[in-house]
Amino acid sequence: MKLYICKDYDAMSAKAADVVASVITLKPDCILGLATGSTPVGMYQKLAEMNKAGKLDFAEVKTYNLDEYYPIKPTNDQSYRYFMDKNLFDNINIDKANTHLLNGEAVDTDAECAAYDKAIEAAGGIDIQVLGIGNNGHIGFNEPDSELVAATHKTGLTESTIQANSRFFASADEVPRHALTMGMAPIMKARKIIILISGKNKHEVLMGLLSGKITTQNPATMLNMHPDVTVVCDEDAYNG
Ligand code: F6R
């Protein structure tokens, strides 16, 4: 596991953007696995700046996002589709047809999730997966539990995640109680993983990740089994 400890959020975002940009530069038709949440917003801004400056081309890039609330309409301003359009896709020269998110309106969620895993495999697999981490160690919406699920699936949100995500909604009551999420398998199958960790409230789960011990109570610790993981954190997260 490579570890970069950056001075602050801005430096973390710049380092993460450099890592992702290097993958796109080496393989212009690469497959990106993407995350939402507040942590990667700065990195997305930097990637969009590189694109505007003519240093990075997304014309052939394909993307698969980690998760989507359920149920939710893509036009809802709290949907992850809306988030990705606003924070990245509308600001770069990507073909929207090449951007994929789980359908928060799917009637048959099992079929939707199975098709998503198949589509990722058929596209050739994820070249680099971008991850954030929950205060409780979740990645995607793979929440701490006695067992983790391998395949992409529908899941309930824990109370701690509902509370953490309520900052984006008018109240905690409005946070959807379910989500569709990539399971641990598609995440772990990515050829390269970069996880961004910012803020003092992530200190404990970061230390758990760096301890080298693996527990389903901190799902991110599974990354210790992956051969190519880059952790990019800021000093607040590292020092606590
Ligand atoms: C989002 C996702 C989540 C977030 C995590 C951290 O697609 O998969 O696991 O990465 O909840 O969120 P922030 O960055 O808002 O602290």
Side-chain angles (χ1 to χ4, degrees), residues 134-236:
N135 296 336
N136 61 5
H138 73 213
I139 51 177
F141 276 118
N142 296 281
E143 299 277 22
D145 208 337
S146 54
E147 322 180 292
L148 299 173
V149 181
T152 295
H153 60 282
K154 181 180 166 195
T155 185
L157 271 51
T158 61
E159 194 49 39
S160 99
T161 297
I162 292 167
Q163 290 308 325
N165 289 11
S166 65
R167 68 190 195 276
F168 301 115
F169 291 81
S171 74
D173 288 347
E174 289 186 23
V175 183
R177 267 31 187 181
H178 292 89
L180 305 182
T181 182
M182 272 191 205
M184 296 305 293
I187 295 172
M188 294 294 285
K189 282 185 199 164
R191 284 183 268 283
K192 187 175 182 63
I193 295 178
I194 177 171
I195 181 163
L196 281 63
I197 309 182
S198 168
K200 289 183 189 299
N201 56 339
K202 303 283 173 73
H203 175 67
E204 208 175 308
V205 283
L206 171 58
M207 289 303 119
L209 171 62
L210 298 179
S211 74
K213 294 186 183 139
I214 296 166
T215 167
T216 58
Q217 297 304 332
N218 178 351
T221 60
M222 294 285 285
L223 300 179
N224 280 291
M225 298 203 294
H226 192 281
D228 188 351
V229 175
T230 302
V231 180
V232 188
C233 69
D234 60 14
E235 287 181 0
D236 277 353

Side-chain angles (χ1 to χ4, degrees), residues 47-96:
L47 289 171
E49 282 163 20
M50 291 178 197
N51 182 238
K52 287 233 157 50
K55 293 180 186 152
L56 197 58
D57 185 12
F58 287 83
E60 294 178 66
V61 170
K62 293 195 182 71
T63 68
Y64 286 86
N65 261 78
L66 274 171
D67 43 19
E68 178 60 282
Y69 286 119
Y70 187 86
I72 202 158
K73 287 186 189 308
T75 48
N76 183 318
D77 63 6
Q78 294 306 332
S79 77
Y80 287 168
R81 160 54 74 182
Y82 188 97
F83 174 100
M84 289 308 302
D85 285 350
K86 179 167 149 262
N87 286 292
L88 185 66
F89 302 149
D90 286 344
N91 311 326
I92 57 175
N93 71 326
I94 199 161
D95 179 351
K96 283 271 181 87

